[in-house]
Amino acid sequence: LKVLSHIDSILRSPRAPPLIYRRSKGPVQNYIKENGQECGFEHLPLTIEMWADQLMALKDLHRSLRKLSLELVPCHTADSQDNRESIRVEDLQFIVDAILEEIENKEKNSQAPSLPTLSAIVSHFQKLFDVNSLNGVYPRMNEVYTKLGEMTNAMRNLHELLELDSSAPPTVVVDTVGKLCDIINENVTEQVQQLLGTQDIHSIINKLEEHECFFPPFQALIQDLLCVLEISNLDDILPTVRHLK
């Protein structure tokens, strides 16, 4: 009874798994504690048998994990753990952690570009930007980066000046600038028409032709007057003629 009482106190401890203690629903036979109450561990033989099977399976699982570890992590050689009579969960966890670490390292290494890939990237850059030698790759990269920065700043300024959304594509910017140029050209045409006193292009052409016919003889006459009157300023022609009169 003392032994049974000691076992019962262990089973009822906070550290004990709930699986190993179940209060019996039927009559208790031959298992009575000192205080006369049922012990509540009549099912322990079955539980212990299950644990024994699990421990054997744990050893088989350890052996399988060791084989898998040798395949995935060749640098980790087999040790004396395979010959242990009892296998701990910590041993299995150690093997699993080693396998996971090896897989993570392989994934990181696989993400790094290979030498043929890097060579293909450089060759493609040379073709795109007309670089003849490897020595010219870095200068051309710097040039492309500088030009790209200038174009980005220019597009940003145009978006602000034209009051466009920052997401507007370059085609929209070009179309907007073209419309502004058309408006400016129309305004200039109207101003020229108002200045020349005409509203059609044919009248403008006629006035230019009249000017072409009139101006050369007039210019020649003025030059002759300046020479005859021995003066050099146009404003002096009229006072000099009045004086002669």
Side-chain angles (χ1 to χ4, degrees):
L1 291 178
K2 290 183 179 180
V3 174
L4 296 178
S5 177
H6 182 64
I7 294 175
D8 187 57
S9 64
I10 294 175
L11 299 181
R12 291 175 179 270
S13 68
R15 298 181 58 186
L19 175 65
I20 63 175
Y21 178 79
R22 290 182 300 188
R23 183 173 295 277
S24 176
K25 295 181 180 179
V28 182
Q29 299 179 358
N30 302 326
Y31 295 98
I32 301 176
K33 296 169 56 175
E34 291 179 349
N35 56 7
Q37 296 180 353
E38 60 181 86
C39 298
F41 48 84
E42 296 86 352
H43 65 288
L44 277 183
L46 295 178
T47 303
I48 294 174
E49 290 179 3
M50 180 193 69
W51 285 357
D53 294 338
Q54 292 296 315
L55 289 175
M56 292 300 298
L58 197 66
K59 190 171 184 179
D60 294 336
L61 177 60
H62 179 266
R63 187 180 300 106
S64 299
L65 285 177
R66 289 297 301 167
K67 292 180 180 179
L68 179 62
S69 175
L70 292 176
E71 291 291 334
L72 298 178
V73 192
C75 59
H76 291 177
T77 57
D79 51 25
S80 58
Q81 289 182 349
D82 289 335
N83 298 324
R84 289 183 181 178
E85 294 183 359
S86 62
I87 302 299
R88 299 175 303 173
V89 175
E90 290 83 353
D91 300 333
L92 303 181
Q93 187 64 48
F94 176 78
I95 298 175
V96 172
D97 290 342
I99 294 174
L100 291 177
E101 183 179 359
E102 181 68 16
I103 293 176
E104 291 177 357
N105 292 334
K106 288 183 178 179
E107 289 179 352
K108 291 179 180 179
N109 294 332
S110 63
Q111 294 176 357
S114 61
L115 183 59
T117 301
L118 295 176
S119 178
I121 292 174
V122 174
S123 299
H124 187 62
F125 180 87
Q126 288 182 267
K127 292 179 180 179
L128 288 178
F129 299 100
D130 193 22
V131 182
N132 297 325
S133 64
L134 291 177
N135 293 332
V137 170
Y138 280 110
R140 185 56 58 87
M141 282 184 176
N142 294 333
E143 182 182 353
V144 171
Y145 178 79
T146 302
K147 293 295 183 182
L148 178 61
E150 293 175 355
M151 293 298 298
T152 302
N153 292 333
M155 291 299 297
R156 182 168 55 250
N157 294 334
L158 285 175
H159 280 91
E160 294 177 357
L161 292 175
L162 299 175
E163 297 182 353
L164 296 174
D165 188 79
S166 58
S167 61
T171 53
V172 175
V173 176
V174 174
D175 292 340
T176 305
V177 173
K179 293 177 181 178
L180 288 178
C181 292
D182 293 339
I183 295 173
I184 293 173
N185 291 334
E186 291 176 0
N187 293 335
V188 170
T189 301
E190 292 177 358
Q191 292 176 2
V192 171
Q193 290 175 351
Q194 294 175 1
L195 178 63
L196 298 177
T198 182
Q199 298 299 319
D200 60 273
I201 191 63
H202 296 291
S203 299
I204 296 175
I205 294 174
N206 292 333
K207 286 186 176 294
L208 290 176
E209 290 177 350
E210 292 175 0
H211 177 271
E212 186 70 21
C213 295
F214 169 76
F215 186 74
F218 177 77
Q219 185 181 19
L221 176 61
I222 295 299
Q223 292 294 334
D224 292 340
L225 284 175
L226 292 175
C227 292
V228 171
L229 298 175
E230 297 180 351
I231 56 177
S232 60
N233 195 346
L234 293 176
D235 295 335
D236 295 335
I237 293 178
L238 186 57
T240 302
V241 171
R242 286 177 179 175
H243 180 72
L244 291 177
K245 184 179 177 182

